Every structure is written in C-alpha cells, then in structure tokens.
Amino acid sequence: MTGATSAPAARPARDRSGLRTALRLLGGWTLLGLLAWLMWTPGAWPALLLAWVLLTLLADEFGGWFGYLGVLLGGLAFVAPTPEPAGWSVIVPLVGGALLATLLVKHSGGPFVLPFAAAIFTLPLLAVARFGTKLDPSLTLPSEPAFLQNALLAMAVALGVSLIRQVTEAVLRRRARRAAAPAGVPLAAVTFEFPEAPAPEGTDAPRPG
C-alpha cells in the first residue's frame, strides 16, 4: 500500500525537476545566443563591453558552465566578418580575466561570497585604469570613464540579480521544509507508562497459610 501511494507522489516531483532543468537550459542558451549574435555583429566597444559582462554573468545564473562559455564568446568578435571594435584586443584579456576570477569566487559559495566576487572583478580594473599608463603609455582605454562605468554597471546589475535569486530560493526551500515537516503528535495519542514500585528491602516475603 505504501509503494502504491508513494509512486504518484514522486511523479509530480520528477515532473517539476524536469521542468526546472528545461527552463534553465532554455534561459542559458537564449542568453548565450544573444551574446553570440552581438559579438558576431560588433558595434562600439562601450555597448559591447556592457553586453558581454552582463549577459555572461546572467547566463551563469542558469548553470555554471554557461558563464564560462560566455567568457569565451568575448573572443568571437575577432573572427566576425565585420572589423572588431577599437580597443577590443585590450578589453578581452583584461575583462575576460576579471570575469573568470569572478565566476570562480561566485561558484565557491552562496550569497555571502557575492561581495568578494564583486571586489575581484572591480579591483583589477581600477588598478589598470589608475596605473596602466605607467606600465604602457598606450594603455589609455581602461582609464576612459565609459570603460569603468559600463563594466562595473553590468557587474553590479548581474550580481544583484544573483543575490535576489539565491535569497528567494533559500526562503522557498525553508518554507518547503517547514511544510514537509511532520505535524506534532496529538496529546490523545501520547501514553505514559510508569514503572512498578520495587518491593521494600528488609521485609520478609509472605508465608503461605
């Protein structure tokens, strides 16, 4: 009887799990497809930089490997039929390395690591913007306001979405556990058993007759 009742209950759970997997794959591949299209028809580098960082980090929300594929798609502009944006050869190694480090930190924990992921992305870009020209006088692009503005804005939006998603999922899981917890035992079903009192020591056992 137990097996007959548990099978129908397990079927909706499997259906919900399959639907979540399908939605994750659809969302991840949709964002990667949009990113690939933007990289294949590149325009000005500020808009392309914002789209690359934003879509890569958002795609990562649908599965970790989507994020890594998004980082690789940044190089698609080099083989596109249209000329690559000016300065893209500087942006790809710099921002791509920051994105990889951000993804690694982001995957190491829950919402509490997101500030560290944001710092890992931000600090190298700020350092290059501040001291890049001292190392290479031609490295002027990272010091342009549009570079930091677009890169940091895209990162902040994407990590904000990640924070909302993770907190929402944690709240829903907690509610689900509470709903699935067994109800308290009713008082009428509680029985109390008292041990029999031991015979007092030092007394003679009753004699027959």
Side-chain angles (χ1 to χ4, degrees), residues 28-42 48-49 51-53 55-57 59 65-80 85 88 92 96 99-100 103:
W29 283 118
T30 299
L31 291 178
L32 288 184
L34 177 59
L35 178 58
W37 179 78
L38 292 174
M39 292 295 168
W40 192 252
T41 56
L48 202 63
L49 172 61
W52 183 30
V53 175
L55 293 178
T56 295
L57 292 178
W65 53 281
F66 283 123
Y68 297 116
L69 287 178
V71 175
L72 294 177
L73 285 177
L76 192 60
F78 293 123
V79 296
W88 198 245
V92 167
L99 276 174
L100 282 175
L103 292 175

Side-chain angles (χ1 to χ4, degrees), residues 178-190:
R178 286 183 176 180
V185 181
L187 184 61
V190 178

Side-chain angles (χ1 to χ4, degrees), residues 103-131:
L103 292 175
L104 290 174
V105 175
K106 184 170 174 281
H107 295 163
S108 66
F112 298 105
V113 305
L114 292 180
F116 299 99
I120 286 294
F121 183 85
T122 303
L123 293 178
L125 301 187
L126 290 176
V128 174
R130 178 67 177 84
F131 305 106

